[in-house]
Amino acid sequence: MQRESSAAACYSFGGMNPSVAPLREPQSAGAVLMVRPARFAFNPQTAASNAFQSPSVACAGDSTTEESALREFDGLAAKLVRAGVAVVAAEDTPSPVKPDAIFPNNWVSFHRDGTVVLYPMLAENRRWERREELIQQVTREGGFRVTQTVDLSYRENQGKFLEGTGSLVLDRAHRVAYAALSPRTDLDVLGEFAQQLDYDLVTFDAFDAHGKPVYHTNVLMAVGSRFAVLCGEAIADRGHRGAVTEKLRSTGHEILEISMSQMTRFAGNILELAPASGTLIAMSTTAWNSFTAGQRRVLEGHGSVLAADIPLIEELGGGGVRCMLAEIHLPKR
């Protein structure tokens, strides 16, 4: 049963067993899954809903493009490892061709109670990215344990989609899921996710400067342990904008507002990680360069910043560093 709060965008969902409190989950993980691409290229099947994709004459999806994408991928992975993050680096398969395999966070998420969630994807060629062997690699190499799988992919047959932690920005510690509704983020599937994993929902509509729905929530906002980045300007309804900021503040987050222009440069597409060396905030160089000096000081007050050069992946893929990382919260065996 869904209970609407005083803010039209906020919903509470009862868990499957209300007598059992959900396991407290840290906000940030010390391990991530990355998928090294085999055939990275501009994906025409996703371009209609992703305004961040920008096909380039100089990048026609040939071997040079693929080699450049691999260099960017390897550079980010190496930086994360040096910073103490445990990286499970899986290999994409060349066939079938999966131009967006480099963004695994859209098809899978890993949770502290041992739950793995599989998500319904809008583009048909992205559905091939869901591979059981990658989950097995995570458990094998990382020594993690899976207790259950929540498979939402059947929703594809209904034409309803929810693309993982692209569609969902999770405040794991407070069990709040933020979601901008779009062709890739359906309210019905959001409700099922919330019920299955015992999350409250904060939903809203968000648009870019041209009035197009923002395709994924994780390009307009990010939530860390004690801070949140938000492009409030993109949330058209002031009531919904207020509901988002009120919820963030009530859960103890310092809000760093970014502009629409900064959003297009992936300033919202960042991820807090928690290696043993201390809190790390991962982002692209494009994102870091878009922040003002004052905004940088705010971020650096919450952790060490790791910035990686991924301009080709951002341009052709329409996703940034956060999109390349599926954080692993699973318990150890």
Side-chain angles (χ1 to χ4, degrees):
M1 177 73 69
Q2 153 179 318
R3 303 188 303 276
E4 188 168 350
S5 75
S6 58
C10 299
Y11 303 90
S12 294
F13 288 79
M16 298 182 69
N17 185 351
S19 66
V20 179
L23 183 65
R24 179 74 174 182
E25 185 169 7
Q27 176 60 21
S28 303
V32 296
L33 167 67
M34 298 181 68
V35 178
R36 198 168 188 267
R39 300 290 297 276
F40 177 80
F42 178 83
N43 187 353
Q45 290 191 24
T46 58
S49 59
N50 183 351
F52 287 72
Q53 285 179 250
S54 177
S56 169
V57 175
C59 302
D62 56 14
S63 60
T64 302
T65 299
E66 294 172 5
E67 290 169 4
S68 297
L70 287 174
R71 282 196 298 272
E72 292 180 2
F73 175 93
D74 291 340
L76 171 60
K79 280 193 169 188
L80 289 169
V81 170
R82 285 196 296 271
V85 178
V87 176
V88 177
E91 292 287 341
D92 180 26
T93 53
S95 179
V97 175
K98 302 176 287 298
D100 285 325
I102 201 169
F103 303 130
N105 78 307
N106 296 147
W107 65 265
V108 66
S109 63
F110 304 99
H111 300 264
R112 182 67 181 87
D113 64 353
T115 299
V116 172
V117 184
L118 303 177
Y119 295 92
M121 310 284 283
L122 184 149
E124 291 188 14
N125 65 5
R126 294 215 62 191
R127 299 170 191 177
W128 299 327
E129 297 172 25
R130 289 191 302 261
R131 296 164 51 206
E132 176 63 29
E133 59 264 36
L134 299 191
I135 297 172
Q136 293 174 356
Q137 183 176 346
V138 165
T139 60
R140 183 178 65 252
E141 291 188 9
F144 295 106
R145 176 168 53 90
V146 173
T147 58
Q148 68 167 338
T149 299
V150 174
D151 190 349
L152 303 176
S153 63
Y154 76 96
R155 291 283 195 161
E156 291 166 352
N157 297 326
Q158 304 169 359
K160 296 181 178 182
F161 312 105
L162 185 68
E163 298 192 336
T165 53
S167 293
L168 297 158
V169 171
L170 300 179
D171 180 348
R172 294 174 183 257
H174 299 95
R175 315 298 291 184
V176 180
Y178 297 89
L181 302 180
S182 76
R184 303 197 193 189
T185 305
D186 181 88
L187 188 57
D188 287 344
V189 194
L190 280 167
E192 184 173 0
F193 169 89
Q195 288 181 319
Q196 292 274 8
L197 277 81
D198 197 18
Y199 269 80
D200 287 346
L201 290 178
V202 178
T203 65
F204 50 90
D205 295 313
F207 303 90
D208 65 18
H210 303 288
K212 186 173 183 176
V214 176
Y215 82 108
H216 274 164
T217 314
N218 75 358
V219 295
L220 70 91
M221 69 180 298
V223 173
S225 299
R226 296 182 297 110
F227 76 94
V229 175
L230 176 67
C231 182
E233 183 183 352
I235 303 175
D237 185 282
R238 290 190 178 183
H240 288 188
R241 189 185 311 168
V244 174
T245 56
E246 179 184 352
K247 191 66 172 179
L248 289 169
R249 290 195 177 102
S250 72
T251 49
H253 292 90
E254 179 180 9
I255 299 175
L256 178 60
E257 282 277 357
I258 59 172
S259 68
M260 197 85 79
S261 174
Q262 288 175 308
M263 180 182 75
T264 65
R265 289 179 283 170
F266 298 95
N269 196 243
I270 70 178
L271 181 65
E272 180 186 282
L273 296 167
S277 57
T279 303
L280 187 73
I281 305 173
M283 67 185 71
S284 69
T285 303
T286 302
W288 180 241
N289 289 341
S290 77
F291 287 114
T292 66
Q295 290 172 325
R296 291 181 182 184
R297 285 193 293 272
V298 170
L299 289 170
E300 289 172 329
H302 290 284
S304 301
V305 172
L306 182 154
D309 293 320
I310 57 163
L312 178 69
I313 293 170
E314 289 174 323
E315 180 181 11
L316 291 189
V321 163
R322 193 275 168 269
C323 299
M324 297 171 65
L325 307 176
E327 60 266 47
I328 303 170
H329 284 260
L330 296 171
K332 288 285 190 175
R333 289 199 299 269

